[in-house]
Amino acid sequence: MPKLEIDGREVTVEDGLNIIQAAERLGVEVPHYCYHPGLSISGNCRMCLVEIEKMPKLQIACNTRVTEGMVVKTTSPKTKAAQAAVLEFLLINHPIDCPVCDQAGECKLQDYYMDYGAYHSRFPLEAKVEKRKVVDLGPQVVLDQERCILCARCTRFLDEVTKTSELGIFARGDHCYIDLFPGKKLDNPYSGNVVDVCPVGALTSKDFRFKARVWYLEKTESICTLCANGCNIDIYHRRGQMYRFRPRYNPDVNQYWMCDEGRLWYKELQRESRILRPLVRGEQDFAGVSWDDALSRLATTLTRAKEEHGAGAIAGIVGAKATNEETYLFSRLLTEQVGTDLVAGLSWSPADVSHDDFLIKADKNPNTRGLQAMGLLNGGTSAVDVLAAAAKGTVKVLLVFAVDLVPTFGPEKLDAALSNAEVIVFDTDYSGTTEYADLVLPIGTAPETEGTFTNYADRVQRVQQAFPPPGDAKPGWEVLSQCGVKFGGTDYLSSAEVFVELANKSPASAGLTYSKLGAYGMQLPAVEQPTEPATAQS
Ligand code: SF4
Ligand code: SF4
Ligand code: FES
C-alpha cells in the first residue's frame, strides 16, 4: 500500500496502480486519451505527462506505477505546458467538425481544448492532412479518419477483448490512419464498444448518429434485460424516449462492455405495439377502461370463480422477464390472497439463439434465476401443468404476467386450453397471448419501473425508473399491489418496500435493501439448480 503525494495531497493506494488511477482516488483527473482501464497500456498519446519529483523528465502517468514516497505534480507549469503542447500537436490535423460531430459534449479533445485554451492554431488550415470521412466499417460503426488521434484504443479492444482484429493502423507519420484489414468487416457481436472507447468522434454509432445532442439527454443507471447476463448499462433518454444504451462498468458482470444486440434493445422496448390503457374484451374488439374498472373487474372475476369452483379454478403463469418484486407480488396474490397453488414460472428462449462464453447468454430472460429462487421453475407446478388443467376445464381463470405463451405452446394448444377460461394478461405489449385475453392490464418495461433481476450467476441487480410508462400503463409492482389490496393485501408505497419484504423471506438475502445493492448489485449464494433447460423450455 504505497503512500504518495499528488498535487500536495497525500494518498495511500493499493500496490500496482498507475498514477492516473491513484489521482482518481483524490478526484484529480490526469488528462489522457490512449489509456483505458479495460485495455492494455499503449502509452502513445503522451497527453498524460506529469512531473515526478527526482525524475529529470516528465513521465506518462498511464504507464508509471505508484511507489512509496512518490511526489507527483499534475498541474505544475511544466506539466501544463507539456500537456498543452501535446494537445496542440494532436489538433494540428484535426478537422473543425465540432458543430456537426456526434461526440460533441463528450469529446476529450473538445474538453481539453477548452481546459488548455489552445484557441489559436499556429498551423495553416489549408496544410491539414485530409483523410477519408464517413467510412462504413460494419453494421454498427462509421469511421471518420480525419478525426482520429491514433490512440489505438479501438485496435486494442479488437485485439484483446473480442480477439477479432478487424482494424489496424496503416501508413506513416501524419498520414497514419485507422482502417479495416483487407477483406474484413467490423461485424463482431461486440463491435459497438469501439464507439464507446474512442475518445473523440472518429468512431460513431450508425444508430445514434445525428439523433440527439448528448447534453439534452438524461442518464439513468439500469440493467440490460435481453439475456440472463444482466450487463450494467446507462439509459440515455429524454421526455420518455430512449436514444441509446451504453455499458456501465461492473467488474463482476460485464466490465466495460456490452453486446450489440443488447445495445439496440432499447428500440424493442418502445415499439408501437405498447399497450397504453387497461382493456376489456368487447363484442368486436377491446374497449379501453379506467384502472378502477379494470381492477374491479379483476376482483369480481377472481371472487366469482373462487365462490363457484374453488380457489383451484384460478391459476397464474409469470414470465422470467418479470422483476423479482413483480414475481413475488404475483405469486403472493395467487397463493396467499386468492388461495390457489397453481402458480408457475415460464422461462422461454428460442432454441437457436446466439450465445458465447463472454457475455451473451442463451437464456434470453433476465430473471430465470430469480423465479427459481422463488421456487417457480424448480419442478413444482409448471406452465405445462397449468395449461393441461385449463384444457381439462378445471382452470376457469388464468392470469398471465409478462410473458407471451404463443412461442412456447403454439396457437393450437392454447386454443384448446384457453377457449373456455377467462384470461387476464398483464403485459407491456400486444402479443399472441393478448389475443386470448378478456382483460388486459398494461405495465411498464424495465426502464419504466423500479425493481431487481437476478442474473445467471445469482447476482441481484437493480433497474431504476428512467421515466414513467406511456399512456395509462403503470409499473407492474404497482398494479399487483393494487390487485392485492382488493383481497386484503398490503398497499405498498414503493417497489423498495416490496424488495425488503421479499428479501427477508430468505436467509441468504435477509436485510438487503436497494441501497445495500448499490451500483454493482449483490452476489447471493447459488439457489437450487434448475430442473428445466434455459432454452425452449415450458
Ligand atoms: S478511431 Fe478512435 S479509438 Fe481508434 S485510434 Fe482513432 S481515436 Fe483512437
Ligand atoms: S450480453 Fe446479454 S445482458 Fe449483456 S448487453 Fe448483451 S443481451 Fe444485454
Ligand atoms: S494516456 Fe498516457 S500516453 Fe496516452
Side-chain angles (χ1 to χ4, degrees), residues 190 224-231 233 254 257-263 359-361 364:
Y190 297 93
C224 173
T225 54
L226 184 55
C227 87
N229 201 55
C231 292
I233 57 166
N254 54 307
W257 324 117
M258 73 185 297
C259 77
D260 292 349
E261 270 194 78
R263 194 180 286 272
L359 301 179
I360 304 170
K361 301 290 175 282
K364 298 301 171 193

Side-chain angles (χ1 to χ4, degrees), residues 309-328:
H309 308 284
I314 299 165
I317 298 176
V318 54
K321 294 194 181 342
T323 62
N324 285 318
E325 292 75 357
E326 290 165 344
T327 308
Y328 171 72

Side-chain angles (χ1 to χ4, degrees), residues 83-117:
Q83 291 170 347
V86 170
L87 188 66
E88 184 178 17
F89 177 73
L90 289 173
L91 285 167
I92 283 178
N93 284 309
H94 197 77
I96 306 163
D97 275 359
C98 296
V100 294
C101 179
D102 265 297
Q103 192 80 357
E106 46 192 17
C107 171
K108 285 293 170 193
L109 211 50
Q110 209 178 51
D111 292 351
Y112 297 150
Y113 170 83
M114 298 309 289
D115 291 348
Y116 290 89

Side-chain angles (χ1 to χ4, degrees), residues 382-445:
S382 72
V384 175
D385 299 334
V386 169
L387 285 188
K392 275 193 223 143
T394 51
V395 168
K396 304 292 182 194
V397 181
L398 176 66
L399 275 61
V400 183
F401 193 95
V403 64
D404 183 8
L405 304 177
V406 175
T408 312
F409 296 102
E412 270 178 38
K413 219 174 199 175
L414 290 178
D415 285 349
L418 303 182
S419 51
N420 294 318
E422 272 207 66
V423 180
I424 300 174
V425 172
F426 305 68
D427 216 335
T428 57
D429 289 71
Y430 290 98
S431 69
T433 304
T434 53
E435 294 295 309
Y436 294 92
D438 299 286
L439 176 63
V440 179
L441 303 175
I443 57 171
T445 57

